[in-house]
Amino acid sequence: ASVSVLKEFPDFNSSLNPAKDGLIVKKYWNIGFACDTPEGLVVPVIKDADQKGIMQISNDLAALSAKARDGKLSPAEMSGATFTISSLGGIGGTGFSPIVNAPEVAILGVVRSKMAPVWNGKEFIPRLMLPLSLSYDHRVVDGAAAARFARALAMVLEDIRRLAL
């Protein structure tokens, strides 16, 4: 879902080096994910996520997470991310402000989903809600672009069939 939206909003899949090249928009999608380990937080990277299906991504996530917890990740397995996702879903909470993992320009934070009453104009109905927190570097992304990115991601997640279109 993130890769789909990153393709729509390429500035979010970039790096910033103001001293040298400025903004470098990446044409590949390597997704970092924050992983809690006994030694602290590390960020393994799922390389070429755009070329993998959900099952391969799930397998990569499990394998890299196990290596991270065992302290066996190589430097190559923790480098090259173009965008990072951090999840506190396993721990809980209602929201947080993830810190951008430079030189990336954005990071997505997710927490545990929960059922909540939502007003549909006539009545409250139960709806599964997934809080998202998007942090970004204002030198590259402004608030309006961030809101559009977050809304596009929410639309994909609301109906995952959109990924097949």
Side-chain angles (χ1 to χ4, degrees):
S2 292
V3 168
S4 169
V5 177
L6 287 167
K7 287 181 176 183
E8 218 180 305
F9 296 87
D11 283 353
F12 288 80
N13 195 60
S14 64
S15 62
L16 182 64
N17 183 344
K20 286 188 172 188
D21 309 307
L23 186 67
I24 303 166
V25 177
K26 308 298 171 88
K27 300 294 184 196
Y28 53 92
W29 294 267
N30 295 341
I31 305 299
F33 64 94
C35 185
D36 188 24
T37 74
E39 302 301 317
L41 192 68
V42 295
V43 182
V45 179
I46 297 175
K47 305 278 170 67
D48 301 315
D50 62 310
Q51 298 173 27
K52 297 177 180 179
I54 192 76
M55 292 306 294
Q56 183 61 52
I57 289 171
S58 178
N59 291 339
D60 288 359
L61 182 71
L64 287 166
S65 295
K67 284 181 83 172
R69 285 188 297 276
D70 292 340
K72 296 183 178 176
L73 283 174
S74 70
E77 291 170 316
M78 294 185 287
S79 63
T82 59
F83 184 78
T84 295
I85 300 171
S86 182
S87 172
L88 295 181
I91 298 170
T94 57
F96 68 110
S97 299
I99 304 297
V100 175
N101 191 17
E104 298 165 39
V105 299
I107 183 170
L108 178 69
V110 294
V111 295
R112 185 176 294 160
S113 60
K114 68 176 183 172
M115 294 300 290
V118 176
W119 182 253
N120 69 4
K122 296 180 183 174
E123 62 185 343
F124 285 101
I125 57 169
R127 186 160 179 194
L128 185 62
M129 303 298 287
L130 175 66
L132 303 174
S133 300
L134 182 65
S135 298
Y136 46 93
D137 187 327
H138 273 280
R139 295 174 295 175
V140 177
V141 175
D142 64 29
R148 288 183 193 99
F149 179 95
R151 184 63 203 128
L153 181 59
M155 285 179 61
V156 171
L157 293 173
E158 286 170 359
D159 187 354
I160 206 74
R161 294 174 295 181
R162 286 187 176 100
L163 290 175
L165 299 176

